[in-house]
Amino acid sequence: MSATLLAVALSLVSAAAYAAAAVAQERLASRVHEGESGILRMLGSGAWWSSVGLNASAALLHVAALKYGPLTLVQPLGALTLVAAVPLGARLAGRRVTRLEWRGTGLTLIGLGALLLTASGPAPDDTLTVPEALVVAAATMAVIGVLSRPGTRPGLRHATASGFASGVASALTQTVTVAVTDRSGPLFSPQVVIVAVLVAAFAAGGLLLSQTAYRGGLGAPLAVVTLANPVAASVIGVALLGERLQGGIGGILLAVAGAAVAAYGVVVLTRSPREIAGAAAPEFLPSIPGQPVEPAALHLTRP
């Protein structure tokens, strides 16, 4: 099996695991209130830790994919998380996927698919230097700080911040993976240690930001995360790791068109009306200990 096919296969399984984790996170987040007590109840839930385990498994598969494929190839495949998560979330909530959700999901996937057509290349061999990694980390933290400020529509802003954090974590992860498997230097070089710490920080930050974003619903925040993630990673790949879009000017135009279609798909998802789950929904996922389940809170669409 070629490196490209292996990267695609690993990315597909990773996307499925991320989808299951996202649905579990959203359903748990919808059952807690703002404040420390709600967070403590969530952290005391075995279901929440199961979702963390799914995220961890998906992350490991994603790391393996990054070993065999460039960022511009692997990251857009994360859009397949939407394909699994939206219908899965609707199924567990006891309702059908709405036409707007199907339309928004389809447009997002078509757009990211166009981006994927322009992205290919050999297994990665370039890495970020420590100064480059620190500059990327500082710039990303500044953007996350702006997006996390108090204001309107925190779900979508936190989802964007989560996507950026996760995309940067993936770019930094590729540096660690390539450096560790290169075998031309020490296993725990300063570069590996420093970048690994940054990976852990951005991965944890992305997880917490997504948990906040999913509190108001799944479809639109997950679409924003799915779009922001490959954008952040691809910018780093093209600007700092020597990756290139295929097809010359035509490839660039296709990538721009794909990004526009995907962005419109996100807008369609944000217009999807709230759906209220039926009373059977709680049987699929245990409630937070001590926290009553409110059926009206179990929606999976617009925040």
Side-chain angles (χ1 to χ4, degrees), residues 162-187:
S162 174
F164 286 161
S166 300
V168 170
S170 293
L172 296 173
T173 296
Q174 187 177 73
T175 284
V176 173
T177 304
V178 173
V180 167
T181 57
D182 185 36
R183 296 176 182 166
S184 62
L187 182 61

Side-chain angles (χ1 to χ4, degrees), residues 7-66:
V8 170
L10 290 169
S11 297
L12 294 179
V13 181
S14 175
Y18 273 129
V23 171
Q25 283 181 274
E26 186 276 334
R27 291 177 62 77
L28 285 166
S30 68
R31 299 174 186 180
V32 299
H33 300 298
E34 297 286 349
E36 183 179 3
S37 60
I39 294 176
L40 291 177
R41 290 192 184 101
M42 182 179 66
L43 293 177
S45 168
W48 187 81
W49 287 108
S50 296
S51 73
V52 173
L54 280 171
N55 261 313
S57 300
L60 290 175
L61 291 166
H62 186 69
V63 168
L66 288 171

